[in-house]
Amino acid sequence: MRILALHLRAYGHFTGYSLDFGAGPGLHLIYGHNEAGKSTTLRALSSVLFGYPHGVVDDFKHDAKDIAIGIALLGSDGRALSLVRRRRGKHALTAADGSALDDGAVESFLGGVSQDVFEKVFALDHHRLHEHAKALLADGGSLGFSLAEAGSGIAGLKAVLDKLKAERAALFLAGGSKPKLNHAIAEVIELRKGARRRTVSPADYRTREKRIEEADAELRKMREQRKTIESDIVRLQRIGKNLPLRAEHRALTQRIEALDDVPVLPPEFAEQRVKAQTDLEAAREDIDVSCAAVADLERRIAAISVDEDILARSAEIEKLAQKRHVIEDYEADSVKREAERAQLYAAVADLMAKAELDGGSPLPNPSPLAGEGRVGASMLPSALKRKAILKLADTGKELATQRATALKNAEAEARALTKARDRAAQIPELRPIGDLSRALTAADKLGDIAADITKRTRALERKAKALKETIIGLGLGTDRVSVLRGLAVPPEKTVVRYADMLATAERKMKTAEDDLHRLDRDIAECDQGIAALKATGDAATEDDLKAARHARDQGWLLVRGLYVDRRSGLEELAQQFAPDGRIADTYERQVLEADQSVDLMRVHVRESTELSLLRSRRADLEAKRTEAAAAVNALGARREAVGSQWRALWPAGLITVQLPGEMTEWLAQRSAAITVADGLEEEQDAIQERIDRERDARQALAATMAAFVVELNGELESLRERARDLLRDVVNANTLHEKADEAVRTQSARKDAADEAVDRLKARIDRWEAAWRAALAEAGLPPDLTTEAACATLEIMNEIDIAKSKTDELTHRIEAMRRDRDTFRNAVAALAVDLPGAPTGDAVEVCRQLDNRLRVARDKEANLRGLKEQVKPQAEGRERAKDKLRRSRAALDALCAQAGCANVDELPEIERQSMEKQAALSGREKIEMRVREDGGGRDFAALFAECEDVPADQIPADLLSLKADRDDTEAGIEKLMADRAALQADFDILLGQSQAADFMQEAATVEAEIEEAVEAYVDLTVQETLLRTAIDVYRDRNQGPILMRAKELFAELTDGAYAGLRADVNERGETILIAEDALRGSLEIDALSDGTVDALYLALRLAVVQEHNARREPMPFVADDLLLNLDNKRAQAALRTLAAIAASSQVLLFTHHAHMVDLARIAVPPPILIEHNLLPATSEAGDRRIAV
Amino acid sequence: MKFVHAADLHLDSPLLALSRQEPRQVERMRRATREAFEHMIDLCIEQEVALLVLAGDLYDHDCPNMQIAVFLRSQLKRLEQKGIRVVIIKGNHDAGNKITSALALPANTRILGEQKPETITFDDLPVRVAVHGQSFRPGPIAENLAASYPPALRGHYNIGLLHTSLAGATDHEAYAPCTLEELTTRGYDYWALGHIHKGAVHCRDPYVIFPGNLQGRHAKESGPKGCLLVEADDAGRTVAAEFIPLDVVRWHRAEVDLKGCNVEAELVEGVRGALAQAYRDGDGRPGAVRVVLTGRTSLHQHIERTPHRLRQTTLELAAELAGDDIWIEKIVNSTTAPGERLDAMSNDETHDLVGIMQEIAGNTELMGPLLAKELEPLRSKLPGELKEHSSLKLMETPGLCAEALERLRPRLAARLAAEEDA
């Protein structure tokens, strides 16, 4: 397949650009400098054939949907196809006529080559060439790797295989123990063993269980044995104890049988008998004592006589006896009371006299016996009236006091009013302050305006000064803002444009200068190289040869002219040829030099070629340097022209024009200065406005203060101070005036109130005086009586009332006593008349005697009654004793009957025998009880029966023997129990802890690891085997034809330095590549120089390509600056080789190195070499062939 | 009346294919089958069930360990103390295992005979119950045991206890096969089946149910595992058969579809989502997750190239989501690359390396012996059944060999590309 044309319709930065390769054979050299789009073109080539790559979009100029690349293809069978591929999913491919194509249409031209293979095998650049060459060395020249890498375009196959092998080895080694799998396998085997060890099989389980059961049976048997022995021991111990008891039991039985006739009396029998006998004796004594006491009482009763008469009148006598003491007291008291009454009468008379009632004799003399008249009662006013008069008197006194107080108050208020009026008269009149206050407030609002004005003025001055300095600094020769404002400067856009223009010019200039310097350096390097080669003397060039030959020919002409033809006029030439005059020597030297040059060229071909190339390169560089120097000059002129235009933009003569950067800064400074000036003007206006306000405030204050003071002047602040003081004074004065007026008003009101109070009191006093007089008249007292006199008279009247009351009370009492005495005397007389033996005389005395007689009669009566009461109990005690006597006799009879005797005296003996029999019975019972207690439920008779025929002295020995048996059995049981516990513990441990399942689980987890590792190992093995086998297969299939072609190509590429290549086997048995050096013979790869290895790989790769193209649809070979690493000679050889390949298939050689073009022109003749110029991306023109 | 139906306890069967990432996690899964069984006993006691029926496979056949039997007895005794009856049939794993017969089971427990079907009635329960069943004999049971089960007892709630593969379960060996129809027409009220480890309700009238095993033991036994709590009303009708999860450790298959994903962040988000879902599904249990990446994605090569990085990221996500409650059993990359063409090569002998790799990958006659030679040393070292590991079967199975070669070719290509990039 050939590419006839590549149309970059819309791709990368290309639009409608085409490369026309034509249908004929040829080596297409596509030249484009940097950025011309070489890489884009290479990508386009692959994309149009195989599709656009996934990641790279190349849509920076064209939208992805618009991207389109066209290609015209010609198949080896003559088929042609023109198509366009667009970047889209469906219908990406269209034919030239716009009809849709499928991928198959293109694939039929590709001969089964995939994109990957195309890019890796049919394309190569110098970088990858070198990488592959290094890999060849790393592979040790292995033929398989070399061929496979060349054939696949993949470097580092051996490294991949080595890595796979190493990864496998880390997992498993047949003889190893440390790799992961080896280790895990050992571990899992160990874990399974552990699991087996801990598995309890049913057989094992049964065995262990049986052993435990046997131990249990043995244990049961031993325990039975122990029980029997213990039973025997108990029996023997029991017999030993029962033997003496049995003898005692028999003795007691005999005694009981001897007392068979004796009744068994109850335990309380003797006590009952003694009690009955004691009670009988006591009853007899009690009967005797009771009879004697009754007889004595009866005698004493008969001896007592009682005064019945007096007792019959006892009630009357007792009443009179009680009255008798009162009557005796009356006698003494009546005299004393009458004396008291007489004193009271006298006192009343005195009081009456004192009150001047009834003309000095206010009271009649009272009679002590018939004095019950109401003494003076009708002469005195009633108590109610007297009380009313006293109340009125109090009211009068109160009113008098109030009147005095009111009068005093009225006078005081009048005086205070006068005083207040005086004070008010002394205080100045009110003055208005409103205007002054408003003016002051307005002035205060301004604050310290004067200081502010001063401060801002100073700041303004400072800023203005700085502004002037700034303006001067801008280099205008003036400090005036107006000049600065008026200046005509270019607009910002213009400045920016010129800045760009100048910067561009500067950048280009710099680039040109850099180029010039680089060229100078390159020339210097060339010179050094030339000098170095010269210095070795191992190199000569055609030019050297030509120069030497020219010198030699000149020498020959001179020699011939001078010495053969003998021509004259050659002296000057001879002088030039051989300044020292030794022409022959010089000529011989020239001949020698020419020969040496030839020899050098022949022997040191490489060095000579290099020297030649260096010189050629130097000449090339020199030419470029001249071009570069011219470019620098042209750019300098351009830069200067732009500079002139720039300067012309600015006002002439006013400022120094600098570069746009500086001028931009200058403009910024100017703009800033104008902004500052604007600000300063605004500030100036503001200050002026404040000065005006300060003046207005000052004038307003002065005007308002003029109403209060005469002279006014000064600054606003002092005016404000004075205004504040003045305002304060006036306000204070006005306040005082208002207070004084208020005081006069208040005081006046108070005085009026006081006067009104005096008047009200006077009216009340008038009303009281009328009432007073009326009351006195009603009480019969003189109407002109003063209140004090009336009160005194009324006081005496009260005292008279009290005395009268006491007198009446005494009189009543005296009369009552007289009546009581008379009544008592009459009663005593009446009693004495009826009572036999009654005395006569004073009633009081008679009464006393009768009372004594009555007391004696009562004492006797009481004595008689007491004696009679004592007789009854004595009689009752006697009856009770008789009853007791009867009961005691009956009890003794009953006891005798119980004991079986007739006489009480027999009872004690019978009681003793009964007790003896009872003790024997009880002793026998106790013995039987003890025997039964230790008998374990056996019958008593049986227990005594088991003692029969047992010798007592044998028992201790038998017991000892039995106890020894028991201890032996005990020890046996303990041992058996320990054995069983141990068996059970073993069993429990086996079943409980350290379960086999845990080991199985652990083993399962390790197996999981093994499985995972096995899987990884298998995967690695498959990959390694697959790759290794593929390489072997590749080698087998391709070794012959490729090696054959590569051999020729290698010879060509090394320009015959190497005769070729062949396969050989090294000492390790590996098939390796061998290079045949023309001089040194067979060489392994590692003996070759880097350049030669590069050539070797290139030979292999080109052989692969040729082999492919020979067998299948040929594919173009795309070389991208492939030959950069080769020296010129090798590069030329390579170019010739590529040209030879191009004869049969297409070769596209991309480069952006001009010298590669030059080399190609030298190495490849014109019909074969077809040059294309990859134009700058912006070009709309098509491919253009460079004239050759 | 309530009863519990469980099967396939496989007591002390280890959890497989879990590597020792963390000792703590190993400790948590240790004795998981026993713990799950204990949970079931707890459930019986809490729910005051009348009966527990176990449809076979109490142990693993290769575990003749009396420790298990002792454990079983101790748990059944707990039921005895509460008056709960237990009826057991032996499954294919129990049939040859002597451990049950070597131990005296508690009085509440009956193991049905293996010679012919047996019926046990419980007339003292609120609903009279008849349990019919037959234990497995040692050796494969190919005949239809259910066919000879007795007819239903009148006036009883009839439970058929059967260890069977039913018909057509492909993942399990065929034992006592029978059809669903045979069971549903027998007149029983409830068929308590065992043997299939994945729970399934085959019929609801009458109930024909596999409860599944009590505890999943490997990645294939994923999802909730437990027993059935069944309730019958006084008229002897089954009113509820509720699945109760009892598993201690749960296995999850977390599938991440990466179709159309182009950036790694999407992959990470996908994995995070799948892990979060697994954690939620686990209901607070510790879980082992197999992450399976599927779909055609341009990330295929990236995943193949950086498996360790993906594993590390996944572990970090798991730790972030659930601390150490989730661990990653395996990450399987089943994605395909968008441009991958697995065919399209002509039959002609190819001369380029990549073509040769593709060509010989299909040539198992060539590659099989080579791989066998390389892998034989490892196989000979592996203990017992590990020799039969599926990865090693490619040595003698051409299809597997071709599959492995084809599967790993892109990975090798990724390696080659990586070496190029290096």
Side-chain angles (χ1 to χ4, degrees), chain A residues 192 995 998 1034 1037 1111, chain B residues 31 34 351 359 385:
Chain A
R192 284 179 179 185
Q995 298 264 306
D998 297 343
Y1034 187 88
R1037 286 185 188 170
R1111 293 163 64 95
Chain B
R31 304 190 195 181
R34 287 199 189 190
H351 287 264
E359 179 193 318
E385 71 289 346

Side-chain angles (χ1 to χ4, degrees), chain A residues 70 151 377 443 458 466 502 513 537 563 565 608 630 667 674 710 719 724 1068 1110 1145:
Chain A
R458 280 185 194 145
L502 281 167
E513 282 171 355
Y563 303 113
D565 297 343
S608 300
L667 281 175
I674 288 169
V710 187
L719 273 178
R724 261 196 284 275
R1068 291 191 298 275
S1145 56

Side-chain angles (χ1 to χ4, degrees), chain A residues 528-550:
Chain A
Q528 281 176 6
I530 291 164
L533 281 169
K534 281 282 197 185
T536 61
D538 290 344
T541 64
E542 295 277 356
D543 296 339
D544 292 338
L545 185 58
K546 277 181 193 167
R549 281 176 176 162
H550 180 67

Side-chain angles (χ1 to χ4, degrees), chain B residues 157-198:
Chain B
Y157 182 84
N158 287 272
I159 299 173
L161 197 52
L162 179 64
H163 197 75
T164 176
S165 55
L166 209 56
T170 52
D171 290 348
H172 295 262
E173 290 178 67
Y175 280 110
C178 59
T179 64
L180 181 61
E181 195 187 355
E182 280 176 284
L183 303 184
T184 54
T185 54
R186 187 53 57 93
Y188 287 5
D189 299 289
Y190 187 96
W191 278 97
L193 308 185
H195 185 56
I196 306 297
H197 289 191
K198 186 172 175 58

Side-chain angles (χ1 to χ4, degrees), chain A residues 390-401 765 768 772 787:
Chain A
L390 275 174
K391 196 178 174 188
L392 273 174
D394 288 344
T395 308
K397 282 179 200 164
E398 175 68 26
L399 284 172
T401 312
I765 288 166
W768 175 81
W772 174 254
T787 51

Side-chain angles (χ1 to χ4, degrees), chain A residues 393-565:
Chain A
D394 288 344
T395 308
K397 282 179 200 164
E398 175 68 26
L399 284 172
T401 312
Q402 284 181 5
R403 187 175 58 182
T405 310
L407 284 171
K408 219 185 273 175
N409 279 349
E411 282 169 15
E413 296 299 344
R415 280 197 303 277
L417 180 62
T418 311
K419 242 184 201 172
R421 280 180 178 150
D422 291 348
R423 273 204 298 275
Q426 286 166 5
I427 293 167
E429 285 302 308
L430 281 173
R431 284 185 290 181
I433 57 163
D435 291 346
L436 178 60
S437 175
R438 277 191 293 279
L440 184 59
T441 308
D444 281 348
K445 275 185 185 167
L446 292 175
D448 194 359
I449 193 166
D452 185 43
I453 290 166
T454 311
K455 191 175 152 197
R456 288 174 74 162
T457 306
R458 280 185 194 145
L460 183 68
E461 285 165 3
R462 271 200 314 278
K463 285 179 184 169
K465 197 176 163 196
L467 178 61
K468 282 180 176 173
E469 283 168 5
T470 306
I471 295 170
I472 290 167
L474 286 171
L476 288 175
T478 177
D479 59 1
R480 282 184 302 158
V481 176
S482 58
V483 176
L484 193 66
R485 282 209 174 104
L487 213 58
V489 295
E492 191 185 343
K493 253 168 79 178
T494 309
V495 174
V496 171
R497 185 158 54 81
Y498 270 91
D500 284 349
M501 284 162 69
L502 281 167
T504 308
E506 193 58 42
R507 202 166 52 247
K508 285 182 176 172
M509 187 70 185
K510 176 87 170 46
T511 309
E513 282 171 355
D514 287 349
D515 284 348
L516 196 58
H517 290 143
R518 187 169 46 76
L519 288 166
D520 284 344
R521 275 198 306 278
D522 289 351
I523 289 168
E525 277 175 21
C526 283
D527 287 346
Q528 281 176 6
I530 291 164
L533 281 169
K534 281 282 197 185
T536 61
D538 290 344
T541 64
E542 295 277 356
D543 296 339
D544 292 338
L545 185 58
K546 277 181 193 167
R549 281 176 176 162
H550 180 67
R552 183 197 64 191
D553 293 350
Q554 265 197 330
W556 170 247
L557 287 175
L558 198 58
V559 169
R560 179 174 176 159
L562 282 174
Y563 303 113
V564 179
D565 297 343

Side-chain angles (χ1 to χ4, degrees), chain A residues 561-597:
Chain A
L562 282 174
Y563 303 113
V564 179
D565 297 343
R566 300 283 177 188
R567 283 194 285 127
S568 61
L570 295 170
E571 290 77 12
E572 193 180 342
L573 275 173
Q575 180 60 34
Q576 282 176 3
F577 182 71
D580 56 356
R582 299 167 71 172
I583 290 165
D585 290 348
T586 305
Y587 172 64
E588 278 175 11
R589 186 161 48 79
Q590 295 287 11
V591 170
L592 190 64
E593 278 181 13
D595 289 347
Q596 279 176 340
S597 291

Side-chain angles (χ1 to χ4, degrees), chain B residues 286-366:
Chain B
V289 183
R290 173 171 289 189
V291 180
V292 182
L293 309 176
T294 62
R296 185 166 286 252
T297 168
S298 59
L299 293 171
H300 170 81
Q301 284 276 20
H302 173 73
I303 295 165
E304 278 298 329
R305 280 193 203 183
T306 55
H308 298 301
R309 179 163 145 183
L310 177 61
R311 180 161 184 88
Q312 192 53 41
T313 305
T314 309
L315 288 174
E316 281 167 14
L317 286 174
E320 189 183 305
L321 278 167
D324 54 4
D325 276 350
I326 285 279
W327 60 92
I328 305 301
E329 185 253 341
K330 192 185 262 189
I331 301 172
V332 179
N333 181 16
S334 295
T335 60
T336 52
E340 200 173 310
R341 270 186 277 171
L342 300 173
D343 48 359
M345 286 307 294
S346 67
N347 290 327
D348 297 348
E349 193 176 66
T350 178
H351 287 264
D352 71 77
L353 187 68
V354 176
I356 288 171
M357 270 163 55
Q358 191 162 348
E359 179 193 318
I360 62 174
N363 185 352
T364 47
E365 284 178 17
L366 169 70

